[in-house]
Amino acid sequence: MRYQPLPAELFAANRQRLYAKLPPQSLVILHANDVLPTNADGSLPFIPNSDQFYLSGIDQEETILVLYPDAADPKQREMLFVRETNETIAVWEGEKLTKAQATERSGIARVHWLQEFETQFRSVICQADHIYLNSNEHIRATIPTETRETRFTHRCKQEYPLHDYRRLAPLMHELRVIKSEPEITALKEAIRITSDGFDRLLKFVKPGVHEFEIEAELSHEFIRQRARGFAYTPIIATGANACVLHYITNHCQCQDGELLLLDIAANYGNYNADLTRTIPVNGKFTARQRQVYDAVLRVFKKCCQMLKPGVIIREYQEQVGLLMQEELLGLGLITPDDIAKQDPDKPAYKKYFPHGTSHPLGIDVHDVGHMWKPIQPGMVFTVEPGIYIREEKLGVRLENNIVIGENGNLDLMAHIPIEADDIEAAMAR
């Protein structure tokens, strides 16, 4: 683990918040994510289970977390099961967490080796009235592969069919959507590293460089500052590529006179930043590029003001669409006649602004949250409007990360250049 561990008090507090939502005699069991195979004997890098990490601070494969706050035996109220290091593992993979290290990171006193799970599991499941098991219930998730948690759910229902099984995911969504101060601190560090990467690019980008060279500069900056790496597969899109919303091949050469869209950010301590900037490859916006850029920036600034407690994201998105509609009229991209004849379910502005404007951010880039429930203080959202003009091979998107406050929001990326004049000045250094 290259990042500095987050305080164990964060995870202990998260568990207490969960306990307050559980009925008496509830048992909660969470599993680490699988290590997924590639080909031959290869595997993908391990990514922690977000909910398990939120409650334990442990990001080691095969970990099992068992929470039974009303257990008669105090030793069974919080239990963590981790892999035991042996000589073979130490030689081939490196040492795993000791029990003392797992306790230090999680705040959980009772740490067991994995081989002790079956005995403890049988003991607690036979005592509990309600069994909370986890699953990925993100509204945009597609899950073609059966997960470790799904396999465990099948096993429980087969071996203990008469128990009362309940969904943990809705409770975790309610908890995770409000960010605590230690979480904001982790997000700020991810953003600080991201900012340094972007600053490095402003000095590096020029006509003739390739998108993958820019990606390499970012990767170097992120990893040397203890980030896990990119928070998501980076989008480094020059010219017409910027009009492909999820362009990730990053293989083209940047040409003089083009704009470069950068959707790039770091992951630190399992918390994700999410930054988008659009810059001129040669350091100077053309008149048309500046016109489109300023239109997106005006929408961005208004969106930052619109996000506040009580607002519902789905309704906010409709209002953002009307703002974008006015900007597109001003840019000559749509006409009043287009609006008069539009399908209400497919408004005219969608041709040039086809995506949403804001999503929750945290342990997951598209973090858990409720699109139909009012925004609350302590939530963190992205703000990311964009205009994509395929016929002009021109795309502009701008994105910052915002903490919702009771009496005003905190823009965690306010220090990162976003005004067109500031971008040009930074590239001229």
Side-chain angles (χ1 to χ4, degrees):
M1 183 184 72
R2 59 172 68 114
Y3 66 88
Q4 297 297 325
L6 278 64
E9 292 79 10
L10 164 64
F11 308 110
N14 291 344
R15 293 193 295 273
Q16 291 300 320
R17 293 171 63 215
L18 173 62
Y19 300 158
K21 292 182 176 294
L22 297 174
Q25 293 299 318
S26 291
L27 173 66
V28 177
I29 305 173
L30 297 101
H31 286 256
N33 284 337
D34 285 303
V35 177
L36 298 175
T38 55
N39 298 298
D41 60 349
S43 61
L44 294 171
F46 173 70
I47 301 296
N49 179 291
S50 297
D51 290 327
Q52 189 190 73
F53 179 79
Y54 181 84
L55 294 171
S56 72
I58 303 297
D59 56 3
Q60 181 171 289
E61 69 281 1
E62 297 185 34
T63 302
I64 304 173
L65 177 63
V66 177
L67 305 174
Y68 184 15
D70 296 326
D73 184 350
K75 295 178 182 178
Q76 293 183 318
R77 291 175 185 171
E78 293 186 338
M79 295 185 291
L80 192 64
F81 298 85
V82 297
R83 289 180 71 186
E84 181 178 9
T85 298
N86 57 37
E87 186 64 22
T88 300
I89 291 174
V91 169
W92 288 91
E93 300 180 34
E95 294 182 357
K96 302 300 176 181
L97 289 173
T98 66
K99 291 182 178 182
Q101 288 171 331
T103 293
E104 183 179 7
R105 293 185 189 177
S106 66
I108 296 174
R110 303 302 299 182
V111 178
H112 302 271
W113 300 129
L114 268 178
Q115 55 265 33
E116 301 172 56
F117 172 73
E118 294 301 331
T119 300
Q120 295 289 346
F121 169 57
R122 172 75 182 179
S123 174
V124 293
I125 198 170
C126 290
Q127 298 176 55
D129 293 335
H130 314 290
I131 316 301
Y132 280 83
L133 301 177
N134 205 20
S135 61
N136 183 352
E137 296 187 21
H138 193 288
I139 59 174
R140 295 175 59 179
T142 56
I143 312 169
T145 304
E146 190 174 58
T147 66
R148 183 177 293 262
E149 287 189 326
T150 302
R151 296 195 298 275
F152 184 74
T153 297
H154 293 330
R155 174 197 164 179
C156 286
K157 289 185 174 181
Q158 182 178 10
E159 295 181 9
Y160 303 94
L162 301 182
H163 278 66
D164 173 32
Y165 292 100
R166 299 193 178 189
R167 298 158 56 214
L168 181 63
L171 301 182
M172 296 304 302
H173 289 199
E174 291 180 20
L175 295 175
R176 285 175 50 194
V177 75
I178 305 294
K179 303 301 187 288
S180 62
E181 280 304 315
E183 291 183 284
I184 298 298
T185 298
L187 284 170
K188 286 180 177 178
E189 182 63 7
I191 288 167
R192 186 196 65 75
I193 296 169
T194 300
S195 177
D196 284 356
F198 179 62
D199 185 65
R200 178 170 173 162
L201 291 191
L202 291 174
K203 303 181 185 76
F204 177 78
V205 170
K206 61 180 181 291
V209 302
H210 286 80
E211 295 163 339
F212 54 79
E213 294 180 90
I214 297 167
E215 181 177 348
E217 291 291 312
L218 284 167
S219 183
H220 180 273
E221 189 65 32
F222 290 174
I223 292 173
R224 83 177 187 89
Q225 296 206 45
R226 294 181 175 269
R228 185 171 72 199
F230 288 100
Y232 45 87
T233 305
I235 298 170
I236 302 171
T238 189
N241 296 338
C243 298
V244 180
L245 297 182
H246 290 157
Y247 172 83
I248 57 172
T249 54
N250 302 340
H251 68 284
C252 290
Q253 188 179 49
C254 300
Q255 303 299 324
D256 191 13
E258 291 182 336
L259 288 184
L260 176 67
L261 189 152
L262 301 155
D263 194 337
I264 45 96
N267 172 292
Y268 180 84
N270 294 308
Y271 282 82
N272 300 289
D274 194 355
L275 173 75
T276 306
R277 290 293 186 269
T278 307
I279 66 175
V281 170
N282 63 13
K284 296 289 289 185
F285 291 95
T286 67
R288 177 59 169 174
Q289 290 169 351
R290 180 65 179 262
Q291 186 184 31
V292 176
Y293 188 98
D294 286 347
V296 174
L297 184 58
R298 282 191 293 271
V299 174
F300 167 85
K301 290 179 178 179
K302 291 175 182 175
C303 290
C304 291
Q305 296 172 353
M306 291 161 56
L307 280 178
K308 61 182 65 175
V311 168
I312 294 174
I313 285 291
R314 288 288 177 87
E315 296 175 355
Y316 152 86
Q317 182 61 38
E318 293 175 4
Q319 296 172 12
V320 175
L322 295 178
L323 291 176
M324 190 61 76
Q325 178 178 277
E326 291 303 308
E327 294 293 348
L328 295 175
L329 284 168
L331 291 170
L333 294 171
I334 61 175
T335 67
D337 189 55
D338 293 329
I339 296 170
K341 294 179 179 178
Q342 70 186 2
D343 180 344
D345 294 329
K346 297 179 181 179
Y349 74 78
K350 286 282 190 179
K351 179 179 179 182
Y352 299 100
F353 177 45
H355 60 76
T357 310
S358 296
H359 62 76
L361 180 71
I363 296 178
D364 292 308
V365 177
H366 289 172
D367 213 23
V368 294
H370 304 286
M371 296 296 101
W372 287 112
K373 290 187 177 182
I375 292 174
Q376 301 175 54
M379 293 181 175
V380 177
F381 285 97
T382 63
V383 175
E384 49 182 311
I387 293 176
Y388 313 90
I389 314 171
R390 296 178 66 187
E391 57 269 29
E392 298 182 32
K393 299 181 179 180
L394 169 63
V396 176
R397 182 165 68 250
L398 302 171
E399 177 183 19
N400 278 13
N401 306 155
I402 308 293
V403 182
I404 304 299
E406 191 73 57
N407 300 303
N409 298 334
L410 173 63
D411 185 345
L412 297 175
M413 293 179 164
H415 60 290
I416 302 176
I418 193 169
E419 297 284 345
D421 288 343
D422 293 338
I423 295 290
E424 289 183 343
M427 295 186 74
R429 287 180 301 182

